[in-house]
Amino acid sequence: MTETYDDVGAQQACLAAEHAAVYVYGVIGGRIAGLRAPADVVERVDESYEFHRGRRDFLDQAIRDLGADPVAAEPAYALPVTPASLRQCQRLARYVENRCTQTYAYAVSLASPQTRGRLALDLAATAVRAAAWGARLDAFPGRPDL
């Protein structure tokens, strides 16, 4: 049986998720500025924003290196909640990290062995980030059904 891999598709899915994460953390960062959030929360938001920007930029270049055009960011993204409190900001951060974790889990299943390792590291990083925001850790991050 011959395995079929889709490195472009796997990375495009992750890039789309990273575009959304950067947008969401921009919203969260703007909102917590007026909420007098504790310094550790502000720092975690800043670190998360930078992490997702870095992944976005890396994936954009990786897709270009494969000869494909990277998926563009949407002008805006629908949020499950418009955060009006620190608690809602934290819930939104958990939500976006869980969504990224699910996307990376899916991408790992599509990717070639050469690409899979990098995506698996990003899967782990988003799962840890979700846990830092209070998410429950699953045995198989991104696949709560297993």
Side-chain angles (χ1 to χ4, degrees), residues 12-133:
Q12 291 281 30
C14 294
L15 178 58
E18 294 297 357
H19 283 314
V22 168
Y23 177 87
V24 169
Y25 276 110
V27 170
I28 293 170
R31 186 63 190 129
I32 65 168
L35 293 175
R36 296 189 181 136
D40 65 317
V41 173
V42 173
E43 184 177 329
R44 195 169 339 128
V45 169
D46 289 345
E47 288 173 358
S48 297
Y49 178 76
E50 290 303 323
F51 171 81
H52 288 290
R53 275 187 39 179
R55 298 317 314 141
R56 178 201 64 193
D57 295 347
F58 175 84
L59 289 162
D60 183 275
Q61 188 58 54
I63 292 164
R64 289 178 194 283
D65 290 347
L66 292 172
D69 292 325
V71 64
E74 298 293 328
Y77 293 86
L79 302 176
V81 61
T82 301
S85 68
L86 182 57
R87 188 178 190 117
Q88 288 176 330
C89 288
Q90 292 169 319
R91 190 174 327 146
L92 187 55
R94 232 181 1 257
Y95 171 82
V96 77
E97 294 299 345
N98 281 332
R99 293 297 298 257
C100 285
T101 300
Q102 292 166 358
T103 302
Y104 277 105
Y106 169 72
V108 165
S109 73
L110 296 178
S112 68
Q114 297 82 3
T115 302
R116 189 177 302 140
R118 177 72 251 168
L119 296 177
L121 289 173
D122 292 335
L123 164 62
T126 58
V128 168
R129 197 170 298 284
W133 286 112

